Amino acid sequence: MSSNLKRARTEAQKDFRRQQILDAAEAHFRDVGYEAFSMGNLAKLAGVVKGTLYLYFKTREEVFLTLYNQSLVRWSQVFLNRLDHRPMDDNDYVKILYVTAMADGSFVPLLARLEHVIEHNVAIERLVESKRIFIDRVAKIAETSAAILGLNQPQALEVVRTMGVLLVGATRADQGPSLQGEAIPADVQALIEAFSSENIFIKNACRIIAGVRADASPAE
């Protein structure tokens, strides 16, 4: 019997097996996307029988929710490290947010499906656990962002919460056909660039920050 298929008995072995499954799941997701993601193929990639997957994750969506939690923690740490606790203008701040979020590869695609699909087929305790991870990460980002952007804590929380919604909306602008390598007239190229997710996000994110900053009594 393959060592991958041996039953995990100790807690350390179970933790290792669970992470092994998650690593395979993330690779599978990045390769085929959400719709084509298969628990059967995941089992093969992870080197386990399909039934073993359900010992760790009750549904396909629980796999995705856990991947989202991982990607949120991973991306937020990269973002905070890039901010480096130094003053910067709004444009630099939102550009770093956009670039780091898009570079992760899993974070934005999972965030886009989180409330609409993923959270609808998970155990309530997994949902609560995920929301608490979100609360913790948003609080950490807001704490750092407040000093950088010249906001108070409630304003910074409002900005950070809104950025996620804007990020998902803006990235939908990139769903057109890929024209890389094609000879595109300058006027058409300018139009395409104006409606790119990066331009849409940065422009509107800066407006949101300025609006929140100008509000003397932001919503708690």
Side-chain angles (χ1 to χ4, degrees), residues 1 5-15 17 56:
M1 179 180 289
L5 295 178
K6 290 180 180 178
R7 186 182 182 91
R9 298 185 183 280
T10 68
E11 288 304 313
Q13 289 173 336
K14 289 176 182 178
D15 289 343
R17 178 60 50 79
Y56 296 89

Side-chain angles (χ1 to χ4, degrees), residues 188-206:
V188 175
Q189 184 63 40
L191 177 66
I192 292 171
E193 290 175 359
F195 283 91
S196 72
S197 64
E198 183 172 1
N199 282 335
I200 290 173
F201 178 80
I202 291 175
K203 183 181 295 185
N204 287 285
C206 286

Side-chain angles (χ1 to χ4, degrees), residues 61-183:
E61 287 73 25
E62 282 198 10
V63 175
F64 284 123
L65 184 63
T66 309
L67 290 180
Y68 164 74
N69 294 338
Q70 283 191 164
S71 70
L72 172 61
V73 172
R74 182 175 62 223
W75 161 73
S76 62
Q77 195 55 56
V78 170
F79 178 51
L80 289 171
N81 289 343
R82 286 285 301 276
L83 292 180
D84 198 29
H85 297 79
R86 59 188 175 86
M88 62 180 67
D89 64 27
D90 297 353
N91 190 83
D92 288 342
Y93 173 88
V94 298
K95 187 163 188 176
I96 291 173
L97 193 156
Y98 177 88
V99 169
T100 55
M102 297 301 291
D104 184 84
S106 296
F107 175 58
V108 175
L110 289 168
L111 177 63
R113 294 171 173 85
L114 185 65
E115 293 184 352
H116 179 61
V117 179
I118 296 172
E119 292 182 341
H120 289 262
N121 192 28
V122 298
I124 188 63
E125 58 268 23
R126 298 285 78 79
L127 180 61
V128 169
E129 176 185 36
S130 179
K131 293 300 185 185
R132 285 177 172 162
I133 292 171
F134 176 81
I135 290 168
D136 174 73
R137 299 318 298 179
V138 166
K140 285 181 169 61
I141 296 171
E143 182 179 3
T144 299
S145 300
I148 290 171
L149 299 174
L151 304 173
N152 60 39
Q153 189 67 9
Q155 286 174 323
L157 282 170
E158 184 178 358
V159 164
V160 174
R161 290 167 183 160
T162 307
M163 290 300 103
V165 177
L166 179 59
L167 189 60
V168 170
T171 53
R172 289 176 182 154
D174 291 336
Q175 294 179 357
S178 174
L179 300 175
Q180 187 173 4
E182 299 291 340

